[in-house]
Amino acid sequence: MTIDLQASARHCGVDGASAAARRVIAALVRAGDISTADMTDIADRLNAVADDLEATAPPLGDRLVDMWQGDGNTRHDPATGPENPIAPPLEYEGTADGGISADVTLDLPYQGPPSSVHGGVSALMLDHTLGVANGWAGVSGMTAELTLRYHRLTPLFEPVTVSARQVSVDGRKIRTVGAIRHDGRDCVTAEGLFIAKYPPRPR
Amino acid sequence: MTIDLQASARHCGVDGASAAARRVIAALVRAGDISTADMTDIADRLNAVADDLEATAPPLGDRLVDMWQGDGNTRHDPATGPENPIAPPLEYEGTADGGISADVTLDLPYQGPPSSVHGGVSALMLDHTLGVANGWAGVSGMTAELTLRYHRLTPLFEPVTVSARQVSVDGRKIRTVGAIRHDGRDCVTAEGLFIAKYPPRPR
């Protein structure tokens, strides 16, 4: 069962453009300097796209108000945001233990050790997933402390599962755990302490 | 003094194209659905760039061998890699205490809380910086455990400093600390335990 845990991706508008930008990112890292592509031409075409987008950009203040409207699901964050080309993006489902889970296959832009996910990218995915698991459980907050343990390499090019669940709420202190697993084994585990407080939204 | 702590960015080749892709990423997140840009046209142009890059892509195995050649500085990682549009990219200098430091100003693609850096992006930058600090100190390894403490929000749109230094080596156990600071105050601090072992490089 797919549950509306994050903003749904659309196939048009900025989501479609961001999906295309994800293809460009992966293709550039794959190309490197051993590609025979004319990189000056590629750079010119990408700069022209950036020029056109910047020419019609909304004022930053307007965009900040716009992007923080709504129900708290963000369409723009760097882990799940369909509008953000940096986001893989993760797509969560609810799990039987009250937590959440996302299957994701990562490509070269997310590489740390050879053919493996960068430890910091694992940290990014887990920090975000623990935060969303808190919202899913009904009490969310800001990360105060996050501990990551790296048990084995997390592979690129194959599906891995990123999951999290809230384990306790004691006053304003929230404790949440998560893991990245491959083939049924823990690659990275995480424990987070969150504090139930919220920075103001732009308006 | 700028020291060759990571691969130097070039203004041509894939680095120039990746710099242009960074502009596209930032402009897309800035645009969102409130921009008046024709996003179908933008998507078509980006997909055409991806098509052209993919048509001349080297075989994955060749690229993996290529990207892991050399002195250990990676040109493609998601924190410092000039070839990777996801990387801000961080540019380090050596510091008087034997550590390393990078000043960086982050834009909307790296947002977590409103106008603030995503906690997971801070984790990504710190994990990578601690690892590079180990190499700089002469003994590097794989992250075994990383603890992040979030003291205050890290701002977007203003320079922040990401720093790290190795504090001890005991057999194969390496301990390293780091911080993200703004205006002289700690925003995020990190402690890492690394193990001196290395996965094989592709060949």
Side-chain angles (χ1 to χ4, degrees), chain B residues 28 36 38 44-45 57 69 92 94 98 101 107 112 118 129-131 140 143 164 169 187 201 203:
Chain B
L28 279 171
T36 56
D38 178 350
D44 288 347
R45 290 158 67 189
Q69 283 180 337
Y92 301 117
S101 172
D107 202 344
H118 192 290
T129 304
L130 268 60
S140 60
T143 317
V169 178
C187 299
R201 292 185 178 200
R203 56 181 179 168

Side-chain angles (χ1 to χ4, degrees), chain A residues 8 31 46 109 119 121 131 136 153-154 187:
Chain A
S8 325
L46 293 173
V121 170
W136 185 240
L153 292 173
T154 304
C187 300

